[in-house]
Amino acid sequence: MQQTPAVKCRGIRYSFGQTLAVAGVDLEVAAGTVFGLLGPNGAGKTTVIRMITTLLATKVGTIEVFGVDVARNKLQARRLIGYVPQQPSADKDLSVRENVTLFARLFDVPRAQRRVAVDDALESVGLLDMAGKTAAALSGGMIRRLELAQALVSAPRLLVLDEPTVGLDPGGRAAVWERIGEVKDRTGMTVLVTTHYMDEADQHCDEVALMHRGLVHGLGTPHDLKASLGPEATLDDVFLAVAGESYGSPGSFGSPGPNGRFGSGRRP
């Protein structure tokens, strides 16, 4: 029996006033995978993420998270999701433990289970020994790991990360991805991530979608997307082909790969 997708978007659109940010996107994220949503600033990635996480209403099209319609069952969908936004979410005046405990309360982790859940989340990101320190004492990389713990405390089935390593040095970026990989391997959760770092997407994502001007122009594995441009192409080349001024009309991205899923972004 076919497994229910972690995320299924069909024909979603979203406008801010007269600006069309998402212009008709279809996506399907397989359960248990790491899926990357890539594209330049203004491509519509964060808007899609915010629609999936119910922070923006789905007015056109449908979004399901593990079969739950996010528009019709917002609270049920939220219980399945852990979210790390691009903007900082940790309160630097609170301790590390207090920050994660606050999220445990917000996500309705039962009181009897809360302390264990907080400890488990902190241990999973390597911050349990710093639980009593204020968040202000942490480095940028540790802050991102703290925010990851906040998202993990409710044991989500889907972890959504919006630019999780932006602004971090290479060591901090590697540490954050190491923790994400460890938690995913242990729990089997699905990870949906936006990133500008093509090396991260190439190394860590099972599949990626490339967005430009509110549409998906390429969808597939990093290997197949690179192969569509030639044997020496990198994922940076793929990114530039989508985002560059010379990029043509929707559907002109490369040539169909062996899975037939380049161009419109629609699955067969």
Side-chain angles (χ1 to χ4, degrees), residues 198 229 232-242 253:
M198 297 299 104
L229 292 184
E232 303 299 323
T234 67
L235 208 53
D236 283 299
D237 296 326
V238 177
F239 182 91
L240 291 172
V242 170
F253 176 77

Side-chain angles (χ1 to χ4, degrees), residues 84-165:
V84 179
Q86 185 174 346
Q87 298 302 319
S89 59
D91 188 330
K92 292 191 175 183
D93 293 328
L94 299 179
S95 72
V96 168
R97 181 182 297 282
E98 288 169 339
N99 266 286
V100 181
T101 300
L102 176 61
F103 272 69
R105 294 174 62 187
L106 289 173
F107 283 93
D108 202 27
V109 176
R111 181 187 295 270
Q113 302 171 20
R114 200 171 293 163
R115 185 173 183 86
V116 171
V118 170
D119 283 352
D120 286 348
L122 288 173
E123 185 173 20
S124 71
V125 299
L127 290 179
L128 186 57
D129 60 345
M130 302 190 73
K133 294 185 179 294
T134 61
L138 303 182
S139 67
M142 288 182 176
I143 286 288
R144 288 311 263 175
R145 284 158 55 190
L146 171 57
E147 291 167 341
L148 182 57
Q150 291 173 164
L152 293 173
V153 72
S154 60
R157 294 178 65 186
L158 172 66
L159 178 63
V160 180
L161 308 168
D162 193 3
E163 300 286 353
T165 60

Side-chain angles (χ1 to χ4, degrees), residues 52 56 67 117 131 159 175:
I52 291 170
L56 290 176
L159 178 63

Side-chain angles (χ1 to χ4, degrees), residues 6-251:
V7 178
K8 186 175 182 179
C9 303
R10 287 292 178 264
I12 60 172
R13 299 169 64 91
Y14 198 91
S15 297
F16 295 96
Q18 298 300 309
T19 302
L20 184 61
V22 178
V25 165
D26 293 347
L27 281 178
E28 192 168 302
V29 179
T33 64
V34 179
F35 188 99
L37 193 57
L38 315 180
N41 289 331
K45 306 183 305 296
T46 293
T47 302
V48 170
I49 289 293
R50 297 188 71 191
M51 293 174 73
I52 291 170
T53 56
T54 77
L55 296 176
L56 290 176
T58 305
K59 298 179 180 178
V60 179
T62 60
I63 300 175
E64 295 179 357
V65 175
F66 290 102
V68 177
D69 187 308
V70 303
R72 297 179 179 178
N73 301 288
K74 184 182 295 186
L75 293 180
Q76 185 180 353
R78 285 182 178 176
R79 293 189 183 103
L80 301 170
I81 300 169
Y83 177 46
V84 179
Q86 185 174 346
Q87 298 302 319
S89 59
D91 188 330
K92 292 191 175 183
D93 293 328
L94 299 179
S95 72
V96 168
R97 181 182 297 282
E98 288 169 339
N99 266 286
V100 181
T101 300
L102 176 61
F103 272 69
R105 294 174 62 187
L106 289 173
F107 283 93
D108 202 27
V109 176
R111 181 187 295 270
Q113 302 171 20
R114 200 171 293 163
R115 185 173 183 86
V116 171
V118 170
D119 283 352
D120 286 348
L122 288 173
E123 185 173 20
S124 71
V125 299
L127 290 179
L128 186 57
D129 60 345
M130 302 190 73
K133 294 185 179 294
T134 61
L138 303 182
S139 67
M142 288 182 176
I143 286 288
R144 288 311 263 175
R145 284 158 55 190
L146 171 57
E147 291 167 341
L148 182 57
Q150 291 173 164
L152 293 173
V153 72
S154 60
R157 294 178 65 186
L158 172 66
L159 178 63
V160 180
L161 308 168
D162 193 3
E163 300 286 353
T165 60
V166 67
L168 300 184
D169 60 34
R173 289 169 55 195
V176 168
W177 273 108
E178 181 180 2
R179 298 301 178 181
I180 293 169
E182 289 173 352
V183 174
K184 178 188 175 297
D185 289 345
R186 189 176 70 252
T187 65
M189 71 181 180
T190 305
V191 179
L192 173 59
V193 59
T194 72
T195 180
H196 281 120
Y197 297 117
M198 297 299 104
D199 60 322
E200 290 186 353
D202 202 353
Q203 181 178 354
H204 300 289
C205 292
D206 300 302
E207 190 171 25
V208 297
L210 293 114
M211 288 193 67
H212 185 51
R213 297 178 181 172
L215 291 168
V216 172
H217 293 288
L219 173 65
T221 68
H223 176 272
D224 285 345
L225 286 170
K226 290 183 294 182
S228 73
L229 292 184
E232 303 299 323
T234 67
L235 208 53
D236 283 299
D237 296 326
V238 177
F239 182 91
L240 291 172
V242 170
E245 288 300 318
S246 62
Y247 184 72
S249 61

